[in-house]
């Protein structure tokens, strides 16, 4: 589209990407760039950040630089752009010298619209890239995963620090910082460190309404997992484990149980890792059992479930990982298995030597993760509040909103807990208290404590149940945590009323959660399985031909739309969301034929 007709953002959206409308905030951000201003974009994973810089890149003259920490992600994005007929490329250390040179020539000739770069590439002294870019015709610099520049975030990367110089070097060009996770502190830090000038901040809702959240106690978790997976036959998902070993052993057990699963962790040889990731992206491998090394670069839109077998270290990580489900807008499920034992295990990661400040931040973040796991109220509300966002009390799409709590008279339970705290002189933490209440034989328990009257009075309840009750007693202010890095439990004025005044305490007990609204898919649900399979096969064939993952040809959401609308002409296919001009031309006829074929067969019956 090299003519000089004034294009509007909406035209670009329709022409290249095949969508009819912007999502909230996208258009405002795009206009900000067009006016030459800096911006900060906060949007959840799957919210549609990429279009915020891709559309202006196509509207403005010159080249848009996209800085991204992840090579896998770059390749995916560039593939997706090219499939839509947009000239894009990435520059990383995997490219040969001559490939790099030819790229530079393309930039010279003004042929490229978007260039993806890792930060270390940009500032590598051998490339003189900054100097070169200064002389090139740049339209925008977009910094993706911008929270990596801040120590306050959870994913600080030293390479990002150097981006601070860039703002001065490229003074006349608008900058855009994008992230899916940033609390207020991190947000301000990003602005400062990148040197954004009076940026327009756009903060989208972090709510992911199509994701259902659930937490279950980590008991018989493998059996529970198998039951959970039954709902997802043939669908893709990610299962996160804390250690490399557990990813290996779980993948093996799943395979033995008939589920196609492979492990993924940083200890595997790079080729093996890439091969497994590639298979997962191409839908050749349904389930990946991974450490958190997996996923930062995963843009796969049809992930239907994310399971955490172990406790994540912080809400940011958890939210980002669960956010990988349902990026296409179709239902996704997030399940976490929680055990108190994990908390102790994770505590060791929160201590950063010679950095008390950072240690304190990490410890606090772990505490909030525990709080989430023990929550009796709406999980979505907690998550949204965590990211400084208001939310209604009930979401009707998390285990707590769907499940019922029965309220029980918890006075005796509270009395046991509170008197144990008193007996232990208010000087022990939650883990110790639970062991003490349960009369654990653990060597941790001091011998003097084993003779106390309250030792073992709570052995009828599991560790997880106790941990839940204790958290609830803290929320109700019958107990409080004090001190750091190892907080101890202390009594409060309210707790004395329970111990001596006979005040009664109400606690909640959980009944089996009601079945969540199924993961059966809304629109296409009525569509014929046979047709969906045929469309998938066709998509697969085209993807193999183009050597890209299947969802880059068309997303699951687009595929469902095809199955539901049954467009049998190219004109009708053009109306299906996800079919831009290029895709309609290139792939439309193939899908049209599949649908025509299907309609013919229906007539015969
Ligand atoms: P993020 O980078 O914020 O995680 P993406 O940019 O990858 O999210 O977008 C997620 C999905 O939403 C993609 O499949 C994209 O095509 C789709 N999407 C983005 N904007 C729109 C829109 N305006 N209309 C329809 N789909 C959109
Ligand atoms: Zn809820």
């Amino acid at each position: 589209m090299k003519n000089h007709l004034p294009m509007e953002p909406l035209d670009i959206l329709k022409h290249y990407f095949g969508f009819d409308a912007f999502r909230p905030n996208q258009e405002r951000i795009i206009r900000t760039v067009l006016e030459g201003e800096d911006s900060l974009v906060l949007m959840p994973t799957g919210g549609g950040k990429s279009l915020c810089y891709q559309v202006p890149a196509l509207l403005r003259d010159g080249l848009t630089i996209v800085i991204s920490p992840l090579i896998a992600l770059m390749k995916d994005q560039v593939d997706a752009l090219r499939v839509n007929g947009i000239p894009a490329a990435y520059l990383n250390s995997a490219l040969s010298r001559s490939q790099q040179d030819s790229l530079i020539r393309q930039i010279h000739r003004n042929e490229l619209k978007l260039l993806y770069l890792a930060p270390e590439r940009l500032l590598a002294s051998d490339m003189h890239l900054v100097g070169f870019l200064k002389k090139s015709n740049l339209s925008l610099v977009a910094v993706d995963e911008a929270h990596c520049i801040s120590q306050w975030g959870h994913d600080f990367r030293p390479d990002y620090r150097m981006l601070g110089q860039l703002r001065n070097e490229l003074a006349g060009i608008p900058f855009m910082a994008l992230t899916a996770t940033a609390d207020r502190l991190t947000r301000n830090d990003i602005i400062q460190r990148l040197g954004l000038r009076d940026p327009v901040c756009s903060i989208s809702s972090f709510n992911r309404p199509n994701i259902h959240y659930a937490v279950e106690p980590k008991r018989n978790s493998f059996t529970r997992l198998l039951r959970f997976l039954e709902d997802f036959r043939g669908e893709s998902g990610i299962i996160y484990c804390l250690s490399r070993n557990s990813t290996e052993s779980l993948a093996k057990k799943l395979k033995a149980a008939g589920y196609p699963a492979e492990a993924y962790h940083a200890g595997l040889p790079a080729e093996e890792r890439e091969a497994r990731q590639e298979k997962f992206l191409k839908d050749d491998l349904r389930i990946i059992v991974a450490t958190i090394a997996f996923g930062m670069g995963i843009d796969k839109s049809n992930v239907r479930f994310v399971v955490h077998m172990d406790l994540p270290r912080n809400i940011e990580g958890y939210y980002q990982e669960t956010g990988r489900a349902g990026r296409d807008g179709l239902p996704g499920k997030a399940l976490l298995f929680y055990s108190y034992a994990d908390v102790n295990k994770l505590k060791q990661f929160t201590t950063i030597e010679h950095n008390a400040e950072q240690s304190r931040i990490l410890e606090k973040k772990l505490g909030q993760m525990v709080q989430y796991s023990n929550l009796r109220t709406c999980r979505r509300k907690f998550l949204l509040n965590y990211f400084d966002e208001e939310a209604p009390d009930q979401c009707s799409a998390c285990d707590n909103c769907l499940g019922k709590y029965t309220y029980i008279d918890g006075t005796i339970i509270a009395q046991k807990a509170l008197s144990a705290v008193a007996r232990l002189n208010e000087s022990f933490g939650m883990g110790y208290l639970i062991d003490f209440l349960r009369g654990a034989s653990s060597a941790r328990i001091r011998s003097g404590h084993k003779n106390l009257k309250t030792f073992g009075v709570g052995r009828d309840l599991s560790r997880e149940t106790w941990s839940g009750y204790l958290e609830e007693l803290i929320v109700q202010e019958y107990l409080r945590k004090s001190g750091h890095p190892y907080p101890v439990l202390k009594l409060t004025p309210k707790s004395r009323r329970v111990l001596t005044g006979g005040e009664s305490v109400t606690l909640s007990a959980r009944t089996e959660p009601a079945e969540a609204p199924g993961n059966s898919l809304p629109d296409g649900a009525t569509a014929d399985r046979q047709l969906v399979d045929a469309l998938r096969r066709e998509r697969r064939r085209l993807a193999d031909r183009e050597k890209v993952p299947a969802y880059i040809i068309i997303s699951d959401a687009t595929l469902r739309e095809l199955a539901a609308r049954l467009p049998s002409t190219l004109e009708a296919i053009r109306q299906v969301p996800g079919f831009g001009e290029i895709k309609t031309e290139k792939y439309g006829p193939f899908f049209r034929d599949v649908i025509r074929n299907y309609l013919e067969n229906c007539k015969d019956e």
Side-chain angles (χ1 to χ4, degrees):
M1 307 198 73
K2 273 222 157 162
N3 56 28
H4 295 286
L5 285 177
M7 291 279 281
E8 279 289 310
L10 201 58
D11 301 329
I12 296 279
L13 184 72
K14 179 75 192 146
H15 180 92
Y16 285 100
F17 302 96
F19 298 132
D20 290 325
F22 283 108
R23 291 198 180 145
N25 289 341
Q26 281 177 330
E27 188 161 11
R28 193 168 76 92
I29 297 158
I30 291 163
R31 299 232 176 252
T32 304
V33 180
L34 297 181
E35 277 153 26
E37 288 185 65
D38 285 358
S39 51
L40 173 68
V41 178
L42 264 87
M43 254 189 211
T45 313
K49 282 186 290 300
S50 332
L51 285 183
C52 295
Y53 54 81
Q54 288 168 350
V55 172
L58 291 164
L59 276 167
R60 280 177 74 115
D61 192 35
L63 176 71
T64 287
I65 302 288
V66 184
I67 295 168
S68 158
L70 303 148
I71 292 175
L73 189 71
M74 287 182 204
K75 183 171 177 317
D76 220 49
Q77 291 243 348
V78 168
D79 281 345
L81 288 167
R82 286 183 180 161
V83 162
N84 280 323
I86 300 165
Y90 58 87
L91 181 59
N92 66 29
S93 44
L95 294 189
S96 70
R97 190 78 229 182
S98 72
Q99 283 173 313
Q100 293 189 9
D101 288 345
S102 111
L103 203 60
I104 299 281
R105 280 197 299 276
Q106 263 183 298
I107 297 173
H108 262 309
R109 292 198 295 264
N110 224 346
E111 287 171 1
L112 214 55
K113 289 311 296 182
L114 288 117
L115 177 68
Y116 286 74
L117 286 171
E120 66 274 17
R121 276 292 93 192
L122 187 63
L123 298 153
S125 53
D126 62 318
M127 301 261 329
H128 309 292
L129 200 57
V130 175
F132 171 71
L133 292 174
K134 261 173 103 163
K135 284 181 269 157
S136 311
N137 182 13
L138 294 189
S139 55
L140 168 68
V141 176
V143 180
D144 207 0
E145 312 283 355
H147 60 275
C148 293
I149 203 172
S150 171
Q151 238 196 69
W152 301 111
H154 63 288
D155 191 21
F156 171 57
R157 289 167 188 246
D159 274 338
Y160 260 66
R161 272 289 155 87
M162 298 184 288
L163 294 177
Q165 309 160 20
L166 207 59
R167 188 76 202 84
N168 289 333
E169 297 279 348
L170 304 172
I173 295 144
F175 267 53
M176 176 187 290
L178 305 104
T179 172
T181 59
D183 49 34
R184 198 162 294 161
L185 205 59
T186 315
R187 219 179 282 167
N188 293 333
D189 207 29
I190 292 172
I191 296 177
Q192 211 173 36
R193 298 205 176 270
L194 268 181
L196 299 184
R197 291 172 312 201
D198 209 1
V200 174
C201 294
S202 156
I203 299 165
S204 296
S205 169
F206 270 60
N207 190 16
R208 297 288 310 279
N210 57 323
I211 298 184
H212 170 278
Y213 301 95
V215 180
E216 292 193 11
K218 191 162 155 181
R219 248 175 283 134
N220 301 327
S221 49
F222 184 66
T223 316
R224 258 308 294 154
L225 177 65
L226 289 184
R227 211 175 329 138
F228 176 80
L229 292 180
E230 271 168 27
D231 288 351
F232 296 97
R233 289 267 170 200
E235 310 269 22
S236 298
I238 307 173
I239 303 176
Y240 284 105
C241 299
L242 189 59
S243 76
R244 296 175 184 182
N245 283 344
S246 40
T247 63
E248 300 271 0
S249 61
L250 182 59
K252 217 177 272 168
K253 278 163 78 181
L254 282 171
K255 268 193 264 187
Y259 285 94
E262 294 280 4
Y264 182 103
H265 55 75
L268 292 169
E271 316 86 70
E272 190 56 39
R273 249 185 4 232
E274 243 162 66
R276 290 181 186 184
Q277 174 159 327
E278 199 69 19
K279 268 169 71 183
F280 182 65
L281 293 181
K282 288 193 168 171
D283 286 347
D284 279 346
L285 169 66
R286 292 295 183 183
I287 299 173
I288 202 128
V289 187
T291 60
I292 48 174
F294 182 78
M296 270 300 278
I298 290 308
D299 220 350
K300 186 175 166 68
S301 68
N302 62 344
V303 173
R304 296 272 70 88
F305 62 89
V306 172
V307 178
H308 285 87
M309 298 303 286
D310 305 300
L311 192 68
R313 294 174 202 195
N314 49 53
I315 298 281
E316 282 92 344
Y318 171 75
Y319 203 63
Q320 199 161 46
E321 283 141 28
T322 55
R324 298 196 173 110
R327 293 179 71 138
D328 50 15
L330 300 175
K333 261 192 185 179
L335 172 64
L336 160 68
F337 289 109
Y338 169 71
S339 91
Y340 199 78
D342 280 357
V343 183
N344 289 327
K345 228 186 275 173
L346 287 174
K347 278 222 171 106
Q348 67 195 40
F349 296 114
T350 60
T351 314
I352 307 285
E353 240 176 283
H354 310 306
N355 196 339
E357 180 75 14
Q358 186 82 2
S359 305
R360 199 182 55 74
I361 293 172
L362 295 180
E363 168 93 21
K364 181 168 167 221
K365 287 183 186 289
L366 176 60
Q368 286 161 317
M369 195 62 231
V370 174
Q371 223 185 332
Y372 171 82
S373 307
N374 280 311
L375 215 59
R376 305 294 209 226
T377 49
C378 179
R379 297 202 197 272
R380 190 178 313 274
K381 181 182 168 73
F382 181 94
L383 291 168
L384 292 177
N385 289 167
Y386 183 89
F387 294 112
D388 293 326
E389 193 176 327
E390 307 271 317
D393 288 341
Q394 295 260 328
C395 77
S396 5
C398 73
D399 53 351
N400 287 349
C401 286
L402 292 167
K404 269 194 233 82
Y405 278 111
T406 42
Y407 289 92
I408 57 166
D409 181 351
T411 311
I412 306 271
I413 291 168
Q415 280 170 349
K416 284 178 182 173
L418 301 182
S419 57
V421 171
R423 293 281 174 178
L424 295 175
N425 291 327
E426 304 177 62
S427 10
F428 289 84
M430 187 169 314
Y432 191 90
L433 178 67
I434 293 175
D435 280 347
F436 177 82
L437 281 163
R438 301 190 67 243
S441 55
S442 143
R444 228 153 64 92
I445 301 290
R446 299 187 185 174
S447 54
H449 287 162
K450 293 189 178 165
N451 302 324
L452 292 175
K453 231 172 68 192
T454 32
F455 178 72
V457 291
R459 65 179 86 232
D460 54 325
L461 300 177
S462 72
R463 291 180 67 96
E464 283 65 40
T465 309
W466 267 119
S467 141
Y469 284 146
L470 291 173
E471 291 287 348
E472 215 177 341
L473 289 170
I474 292 169
V475 171
Q476 295 193 38
E477 293 177 354
Y478 289 111
L479 282 174
R480 67 186 173 85
K481 281 187 185 167
S482 150
H484 116 90
Y486 300 104
V488 298
L489 290 170
K490 301 245 182 231
L491 299 175
T492 68
K494 260 181 103 177
S495 47
R496 296 186 207 286
R497 296 208 295 267
V498 177
L499 284 174
T500 54
E503 179 170 312
S504 64
V505 177
T506 303
L507 293 170
S508 53
R510 195 161 143 188
T511 55
E512 263 309 287
E515 207 36 53
N519 40 294
S520 55
L521 305 163
D523 279 341
T526 49
D528 199 318
R529 189 78 226 169
Q530 233 183 330
L531 173 61
V532 173
D533 286 345
L535 290 167
R536 277 200 182 168
R537 272 197 304 277
E538 190 58 25
R539 173 173 75 169
R540 184 53 199 279
R541 195 184 64 76
L542 294 167
D544 285 346
R545 197 183 74 184
E546 306 266 348
K547 297 193 176 53
V548 295
Y551 61 85
I552 284 189
I553 300 293
I554 53 167
S555 70
D556 272 21
T558 301
L559 195 134
R560 302 270 158 194
E561 286 292 328
L562 285 177
R565 298 185 186 199
L566 300 174
S568 61
T569 63
L570 269 199
E571 232 0 86
I573 284 194
R574 204 187 304 278
Q575 304 307 316
V576 175
F579 274 98
E581 285 309 313
I582 301 285
K583 274 190 187 172
T584 307
E585 255 168 59
K586 272 211 300 212
Y587 311 127
F590 297 106
F591 290 112
R592 176 200 58 199
D593 291 349
V594 172
I595 291 168
R596 281 188 179 167
N597 227 328
Y598 167 81
L599 294 174
E600 281 303 308
N601 285 337
C602 289
K603 270 188 223 149
D604 296 344
E605 276 164 16

